[in-house]
């Protein structure tokens, strides 16, 4: 096998045993980046010099960072001309943990300006292409990281997720991601201009090619709990593809049905279901109110007013996402407090549904990966898409198609592993959100490994691709 075909876990094993050297692995990755990145455009900067002594438990493993996450001294642009020369004076705490374990940040990965789109392009570095078909989007905003991992340009990428930014690219590129439990990791070191981190939703997490690599990343990103590792117990599993009136493409529905069939054949019991008292529309509304209020605090009131004024047509087209964010832009404290109370209620509904040992499978998006789509307007990275996407022949708003399944889970704060399920009719990957109990990331990753192994044995082309 070529080095790029090995998993991060295998690379670390080789480094520790002495079968591989850090220089050898780094040079192999840089050579591959030089060959393939001009077409895929996932890596926007490289760093050949190690950041540390590389003698820790990760032994010199090369990783990449989304071009939003602070690394002291290395340019961090946020995909914006405004920050093209910004060099952080501090490293994000999560990255510090990885560096302390011996990781080497080999490069930065692309994103839309300020991570504010569900596709991956910006005026500084251009568009990142999906390695499965370069005519198609990677999703966003962590699209550069997902593409880099899928193409073997990176063994492990650290991205961010506010409203699907890890999950959407992982699904579209056929790789895994972990969205940790809200507040499980420090989230400072991902904002521009030294702004304080958002109080809710924004989380860092890894993108990887295997569940074992997610586990490797999580073990070094999270703080040791001191608790003994629990024996894996097969969870109660439920899946659903209905989301309060949002159309879901037939390919996604078929993938869920096929996967559930294979899991049942293996002896794993999975049935259709969702929390009894969980309302997706209420969840999207509360998410928008909170997100709009908190992101609105970063901009002047006059700018918020103009955003609402000029965003009226976009809000009408996007009742499930933009309209709710615009409500938050009003900066009404009572509405914000009510939304936080709603967040608690809906989170408890998911807790009750999951019980002691449950998981819930949901689509990531209502549409599978689509061809690159230009915004109809772009005001310094704030983009609008007046043209719809089409799902089963029906027009669906771009923002609503992309967010209807992810923002409700962003709201509740539960951990999510994005799990590849199969392919659509165009041969593009389709993934699922695997949602678990708060604080149980390891168990969720173990479950993902079991489910993935079952699908690999089912001889699906998705899981036999070189």
């Amino acid at each position: 096998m070529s080095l790029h075909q090995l998993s991060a876990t295998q690379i670390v094993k080789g480094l520790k045993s002495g079968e591989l050297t850090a220089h050898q692995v780094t040079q192999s990755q840089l050579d591959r980046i030089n060959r393939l990145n001009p077409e895929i455009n996932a890596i926007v900067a490289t760093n050949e010099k190690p950041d540390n002594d590389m003698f820790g438990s990760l032994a010199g493993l090369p990783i990449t960072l989304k071009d939003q996450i602070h690394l002291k001294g290395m340019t961090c642009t946020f995909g914006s001309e405004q920050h093209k020369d910004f060099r952080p004076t501090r490293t994000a705490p999560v990255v510090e943990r990885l560096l302390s374990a011996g990781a080497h940040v080999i490069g930065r990965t692309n994103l839309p300006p300020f991570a504010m789109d569900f596709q991956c392009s910006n005026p500084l570095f251009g568009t990142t292409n999906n390695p499965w078909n370069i005519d198609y989007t990677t999703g966003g905003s962590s699209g550069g990281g997902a593409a880099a991992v899928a193409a073997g340009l990176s063994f492990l990428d650290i991205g961010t997720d506010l409203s699907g930014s890890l999950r959407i690219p992982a699904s579209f590129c056929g790789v895994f991601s972990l969205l940790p439990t809200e507040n499980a990791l420090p989230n400072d070191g991902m904002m521009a201009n030294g702004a304080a981190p958002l109080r809710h939703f924004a989380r860092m997490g890894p993108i990887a090619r295997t569940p074992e690599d997610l586990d490797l990343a999580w073990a070094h990103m999270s703080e040791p709990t001191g608790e003994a590792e629990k024996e894996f117990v097969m969870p109660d599993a439920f899946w659903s593809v209905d989301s309060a009136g949002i159309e879901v493409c037939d390919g996604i529905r078929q993938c869920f049905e096929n996967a559930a069939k294979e899991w049942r054949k293996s002896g794993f019991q999975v049935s259709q279901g969702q929390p009894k008292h969980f309302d997706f529309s209420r969840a999207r509304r509360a998410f928008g109110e909170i997100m709009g209020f908190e992101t609105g605090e970063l901009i002047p009131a006059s700018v918020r007013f103009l955003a609402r004024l000029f965003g009226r047509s976009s809000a009408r087209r996007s009742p499930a996402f933009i309209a709710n964010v615009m409500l938050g832009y009003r900066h009404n404290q009572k509405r914000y407090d009510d939304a936080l109370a709603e967040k608690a209620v809906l989170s408890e509904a998911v807790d009750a549904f999951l019980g002691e040992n449950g998981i819930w499978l949901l689509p990531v998006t209502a549409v599978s990966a689509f061809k690159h789509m230009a915004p109809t307007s772009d005001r310094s990275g704030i983009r609008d898409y007046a043209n719809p996407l089409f799902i089963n022949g029906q027009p669906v708003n771009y923002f609503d198609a992309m967010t209807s399944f992810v923002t409700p889970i962003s709201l509740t704060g539960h951990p999510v592993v994005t799990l590849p399920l199969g392919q659509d009719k165009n041969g593009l990957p389709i993934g699922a959100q695997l949602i678990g109990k708060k604080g149980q990331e390891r168990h969720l990753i173990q479950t993902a490994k079991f489910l993935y192994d079952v699908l690999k044995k089912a001889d699906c082309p998705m899981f036999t691709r070189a």
Side-chain angles (χ1 to χ4, degrees), residues 163 168 243-247 278 280-281 283-284 320-321 362-366 396-409 433:
S163 49
I168 294 169
S243 177
I246 300 294
E247 184 77 13
F278 188 85
F280 278 91
S281 295
R284 294 183 198 115
F321 183 71
L362 282 176
V364 177
T365 53
V396 179
N397 176 264
Y398 170 91
F399 294 104
D400 291 359
M402 299 295 274
T403 63
S404 290
F405 287 98
V406 288
T407 56
I409 307 307
Q433 293 185 92

Side-chain angles (χ1 to χ4, degrees), residues 121-136:
S121 66
N122 63 60
L124 275 179
F125 303 114
T127 299
T128 300
N129 299 315
N130 195 313
W132 291 74
N133 186 326
I134 62 172
D135 293 331
Y136 283 74

Side-chain angles (χ1 to χ4, degrees), residues 142-453:
S142 303
V149 170
L153 308 181
S154 176
F155 295 110
L156 194 67
D157 186 78
I158 308 304
T160 65
D161 190 307
L162 176 68
S163 49
S165 289
L166 283 165
R167 292 163 282 171
I168 294 169
S171 177
F172 283 8
C173 293
V175 293
F176 293 84
S177 71
L178 171 65
L179 177 69
T181 305
E182 188 173 24
N183 297 321
L185 298 177
N187 66 351
D188 48 330
M190 66 170 103
M191 300 292 286
N193 296 325
L198 297 176
R199 295 193 289 280
H200 298 93
F201 308 146
R203 298 175 243 176
M204 294 185 199
I207 301 172
R209 284 200 294 273
T210 71
E212 292 89 345
D213 289 354
L214 286 186
D215 196 34
L216 177 74
W218 177 246
H220 291 89
M221 294 171 71
S222 59
E223 289 187 307
T225 62
E227 296 180 9
E229 187 172 334
K230 297 178 181 178
E231 181 182 355
F232 177 67
V233 178
M234 200 66 71
D236 302 316
F238 301 91
W239 66 277
S240 55
V241 294
D242 297 313
S243 177
I246 300 294
E247 184 77 13
V248 178
C249 79
D250 290 338
I252 292 174
R253 192 178 298 274
Q254 190 63 54
C255 265
F256 271 77
E257 292 173 355
N258 292 344
K261 179 180 176 181
E262 295 298 333
W263 292 329
R264 290 190 197 103
K265 283 166 59 177
S266 75
F268 183 78
Q269 296 304 308
V270 55
S271 55
Q272 292 194 55
Q274 62 186 49
K276 184 176 180 181
H277 300 294
F278 188 85
D279 185 293
F280 278 91
S281 295
R282 285 169 53 196
R284 294 183 198 115
R285 187 180 184 91
F287 172 87
E289 289 268 13
I290 297 168
M291 177 186 168
F293 187 98
E294 293 183 359
T295 58
E297 289 180 325
L298 303 176
I299 55 179
S302 59
V303 177
R304 288 201 311 272
F305 174 77
L306 290 174
R308 289 172 50 211
L309 182 66
F310 291 113
R312 286 176 179 172
S313 58
S314 181
R316 285 193 295 270
R317 287 191 298 270
S318 173
F321 183 71
I322 298 296
N324 291 325
V325 174
M326 292 298 175
L327 289 175
Y329 271 11
R330 295 179 180 179
H331 218 248
N332 182 300
Q333 185 67 46
K334 183 180 184 308
R335 293 182 68 99
Y336 175 71
D337 293 341
D338 289 346
L340 289 176
E342 185 82 305
K343 169 180 164 64
V345 169
L346 293 169
S347 181
E348 289 171 4
V350 177
D351 287 339
F353 176 69
L354 295 175
E356 289 301 313
N357 189 32
I359 59 166
W360 184 21
L361 285 134
L362 282 176
V364 177
T365 53
V367 63
S368 56
F370 49 90
K371 289 187 176 180
H372 297 295
M373 181 177 179
T376 51
S377 69
D378 187 342
R379 296 184 179 91
S380 301
I382 300 173
R383 296 169 176 172
D384 191 18
Y385 291 84
N387 298 322
L389 294 167
F390 285 85
I391 301 177
N392 305 332
Q394 300 300 313
V396 179
N397 176 264
Y398 170 91
F399 294 104
D400 291 359
M402 299 295 274
T403 63
S404 290
F405 287 98
V406 288
T407 56
I409 307 307
S410 294
L411 177 82
T412 67
H414 288 81
V416 183
V417 167
T418 309
L419 169 75
L421 283 192
Q423 295 174 327
D424 66 11
K425 64 182 180 181
N426 297 313
L428 275 295
I430 289 173
Q433 293 185 92
L434 185 63
I435 301 151
K437 287 178 63 62
K438 293 177 181 175
Q440 299 295 316
E441 283 81 2
R442 295 292 302 276
H443 182 268
L444 191 61
I445 293 168
Q446 289 175 309
T447 304
K449 182 182 185 308
F450 174 84
L451 297 179
Y452 183 66
D453 286 345

